[in-house]
Amino acid sequence: MRKMKFGDCLNDMLQLRGWSAAKLAKALNIDSSYVRRWVRGERTPALNSNYLQQIAGALNEGLDKAYKKSTKDAFVKGVEELGSGVEGTEALSFHDRLVHILQQSQIYSLGMDHEARKSTKPVERQSYVMDLLDNVHRQSIGPNLTKNQESTSIQIGQIPASIQGRDNVLAAAISMIQEAMNDKEPKADREIFLTFQSEREYFDGYPEIYGHWQHTIVEALRGGWNIKQICKLNRSLERSLKLVNQIMEWTNYRGKYELFYVNKYGIYHPPFEIFLIKGKCALLCFATENNNAIDAALYISDAQSVLVIEKFAEQMFNNVEPLVRSLDLEQYFELNSATDRKAGHHLLCYHDLNFLTVPYELMRKYIRISIPNEDENSIHMKRITASYQSFERDIQKFRTCHIYPMKVFEHLVLTGQHLNNVYFRPTPGDVIDHIQHIIMLLRTYEGFEIALVSDNQMNLLNQAQWEIKGDHNIMIGVMPKNENDTSVELLTIAEGTIVGAFQEYYWNLWDRINPITRDKASVISWLEQLLRREKTGYNGTYDMAT
């Protein structure tokens, strides 16, 4: 077998079988865009996934029928030519031969991807989403700073009036914010304005500075500083995914983070950026050597000059759109009802069970208990009923996928209480009914799936619970960063680029979950074991592999 990329190998197999990417996707019960990305070589299934077995099974399905003999003969002959020269396949079944050939191309592609990542700059690598998410997560955490550790080359209180070099400009921005945070008499409003309008990622090539930047921003938010940022959106998946992670990392602190966006070149081109501490100082940043990125800045600390810049910045913010919109609880319920009216896939990652997994009559009981006011009760039940109807409508054509920590179910069975949801107040019988209903949903609807995250994989989940409705809306509940705080900040995003980035984020998260804990039969078996525990009072643990 000649060395072949996975996408080329899969494409040849589909052509030999006479199938389209969409037909294979339907057989695998996954989105067709997922298969098309495989075929185009934009991504390769992970080695620990079971996709190769599923693909081979789908392509081999039905070929034993008598009327499929000519199709099978042509397919088998083509596969044999495709895998010619591969040793050790003679004794394999045809299904296993398919898996083996796909596996050889998978290993080859993953090896090529690894070498390409080592030899190329990390710019616009749209096909390496999983690696990107890993890198962004590592970068967003930032280094552990100590009091004696120098964070930048420009020290607090020593920012020059004129700054040359992108690294020095970024270092000055960090020092400026740190100086404001250290001010013993800070301004009452405590506001920071930032703009990032360039096509260029300013921190590319400066990972240490980027780590200090993230650390500084988070410390400012923890200290109650409010941050308003303008960013530029384009078709770059890398930029969009960085914004996704940034939204997660910078939300639900004492200070408020607001993100606005512009399209195309932004408000100014070549790039002109402002880093402004309201009432204190500012950096006016310019691109002097090229049109792509800032490389020089002027530091302004005169009170009257800063006031002029503040007024100019306010004009800029009047010409942009909010990328992230904050919601109160009533607005969240209204938006949830509105998005339910639009058909599409429903992808959900929660820290406790979503209400759609609850039997309808049990949900009515919970609402009566938690909302005794009849008028409010009626309003909520009307919304909930519409959501159940939307589920029944969409599940016939679209996928509904839920990701939950395993401990959500274990805690419910062990204690009889939900881990986080205070509105659900079950009796022991309610717990049994709830889990039986989930098993029924999994068995009844091919498009309904649950992936369970074990304790040793909890690092995959961040401090947010979120859901994607079709291609049109994301709703996010960012959990409090402070253990003493119980508030959840509710956000929504409707901008198409970011919605698409969240979809990529979700499917990559799904892929990285242990295949056993997202296999439907294994999940059902595990839930049935939990039911037996509930009925018998057994307090041990159950392994999904048993």
Side-chain angles (χ1 to χ4, degrees), residues 403-410 450-461 509 512-518 523 526 542-545:
I403 297 174
Y404 299 114
M406 293 178 74
K407 63 183 180 182
V408 163
F409 292 91
E410 293 170 332
I450 289 178
L452 300 173
V453 180
S454 59
D455 287 345
N456 62 359
Q457 281 199 306
M458 281 300 291
N459 62 307
L460 293 177
L461 304 183
L509 174 60
R512 295 165 75 185
I513 295 170
N514 189 323
I516 294 176
T517 63
R518 54 182 164 84
V523 172
W526 185 75
Y542 289 106
D543 190 334
M544 286 198 72

Side-chain angles (χ1 to χ4, degrees), residues 322-450:
L323 183 62
V324 181
R325 188 159 61 93
S326 296
L327 304 172
D328 59 30
L329 196 56
E330 183 65 23
Q331 291 171 327
Y332 173 83
F333 287 136
E334 284 292 341
L335 181 61
N336 194 60
S337 298
T339 54
D340 278 340
R341 292 193 285 270
K342 299 178 182 179
H345 299 297
H346 187 185
L347 312 177
L348 180 150
C349 180
Y350 268 28
H351 293 249
D352 207 341
L353 296 175
N354 180 261
F355 73 91
L356 287 173
T357 67
V358 180
Y360 182 74
E361 289 304 319
L362 181 56
M363 193 65 202
R364 288 178 62 91
K365 170 186 169 182
Y366 288 159
I367 293 298
R368 282 197 301 269
I369 294 172
S370 59
I371 307 176
N373 182 280
E374 290 188 9
D375 291 337
E376 291 184 24
N377 184 299
S378 176
I379 292 171
H380 279 282
M381 278 312 305
K382 184 177 180 180
R383 293 167 176 161
I384 288 168
T385 301
S387 293
Y388 277 81
Q389 292 170 345
S390 297
F391 171 84
E392 294 289 344
R393 176 200 67 203
D394 290 350
I395 198 64
Q396 308 301 326
K397 295 182 179 180
F398 301 98
R399 295 180 74 186
T400 295
C401 299
H402 292 193
I403 297 174
Y404 299 114
M406 293 178 74
K407 63 183 180 182
V408 163
F409 292 91
E410 293 170 332
H411 184 272
L412 178 60
V413 170
L414 188 63
T415 68
Q417 300 296 322
H418 285 267
L419 192 60
N420 297 304
N421 197 325
V422 296
Y423 297 103
F424 296 172
R425 302 172 189 175
T427 64
D430 295 337
V431 172
I432 293 174
D433 290 346
H434 191 169
I435 295 178
Q436 285 178 335
H437 183 71
I438 293 172
I439 293 172
M440 182 277 294
L441 292 175
L442 288 167
R443 284 183 169 150
T444 305
Y445 299 110
E446 187 178 356
F448 182 71
E449 300 174 75
I450 289 178

Side-chain angles (χ1 to χ4, degrees), residues 468-485:
I468 308 168
K469 297 289 188 72
D471 296 323
H472 39 266
N473 190 269
I474 309 157
M475 290 192 287
I476 309 169
V478 180
M479 308 303 285
K481 305 295 195 301
N482 187 336
E483 292 183 358
N484 296 323
D485 188 4

Side-chain angles (χ1 to χ4, degrees), residues 19-231:
W19 279 20
S20 64
K23 187 168 183 177
L24 177 61
K26 185 176 181 181
L28 301 180
N29 196 28
I30 62 176
D31 192 84
S32 59
S33 63
Y34 214 64
V35 177
R36 283 194 289 270
R37 288 195 289 273
W38 286 343
V39 171
R40 291 196 298 263
E42 294 176 0
R43 64 188 303 163
T44 303
L47 288 173
N48 64 349
S49 74
N50 61 350
Y51 278 124
L52 301 195
Q53 292 284 346
Q54 293 181 33
I55 292 169
L59 294 176
N60 203 26
E61 180 71 25
L63 288 179
D64 56 341
K65 306 292 185 183
Y67 67 90
K68 289 281 189 179
K69 184 178 185 306
S70 60
T71 301
K72 179 178 180 179
D73 290 345
F75 185 49
V76 170
K77 182 179 179 181
V79 169
E80 287 176 348
E81 292 177 357
L82 190 63
S84 61
V86 178
E87 297 181 358
T89 61
E90 296 81 5
L92 297 177
S93 66
F94 183 62
H95 173 276
D96 290 344
R97 211 178 313 164
L98 286 174
V99 173
H100 189 72
I101 293 170
L102 287 167
Q103 191 175 56
Q104 294 299 307
S105 64
Q106 176 195 37
I107 293 170
Y108 178 63
S109 284
L110 291 172
M112 286 189 65
D113 291 349
H114 177 70
E115 291 302 316
R117 286 193 291 274
K118 290 197 299 184
S119 60
T120 58
K121 294 182 179 180
V123 179
E124 295 298 321
R125 300 180 301 170
Q126 296 190 14
S127 60
Y128 305 132
V129 178
M130 289 175 68
D131 282 345
L132 172 64
L133 291 174
D134 283 339
N135 291 336
V136 170
H137 176 68
R138 284 196 296 270
Q139 290 175 343
S140 68
I141 295 172
N144 293 321
L145 301 181
T146 64
K147 291 182 179 180
N148 298 323
Q149 190 173 2
E150 293 185 356
S151 61
T152 66
S153 59
I154 296 179
Q155 297 305 303
I156 296 175
Q158 299 178 8
I159 303 174
S162 176
I163 304 160
Q164 298 293 324
R166 180 155 49 106
D167 55 341
N168 288 323
V169 171
L170 298 173
I174 293 170
S175 294
M176 187 175 73
I177 296 172
Q178 290 176 338
E179 183 177 351
M181 288 192 293
N182 291 340
D183 192 344
K184 295 181 179 179
E185 296 181 1
K187 299 294 181 182
D189 40 21
R190 300 168 72 114
E191 290 185 331
I192 300 173
F193 296 88
L194 310 170
T195 69
F196 286 89
Q197 302 180 76
S198 172
E199 288 281 346
R200 183 76 174 270
E201 292 294 340
Y202 290 142
F203 291 97
D204 278 353
Y206 303 104
E208 184 177 351
I209 295 178
Y210 182 70
H212 289 297
W213 170 259
Q214 289 288 93
H215 176 87
T216 301
I217 292 296
V218 168
E219 287 302 304
L221 290 165
R222 280 183 179 145
W225 286 81
N226 298 318
I227 298 177
K228 295 175 70 174
Q229 179 186 354
I230 294 175
C231 67

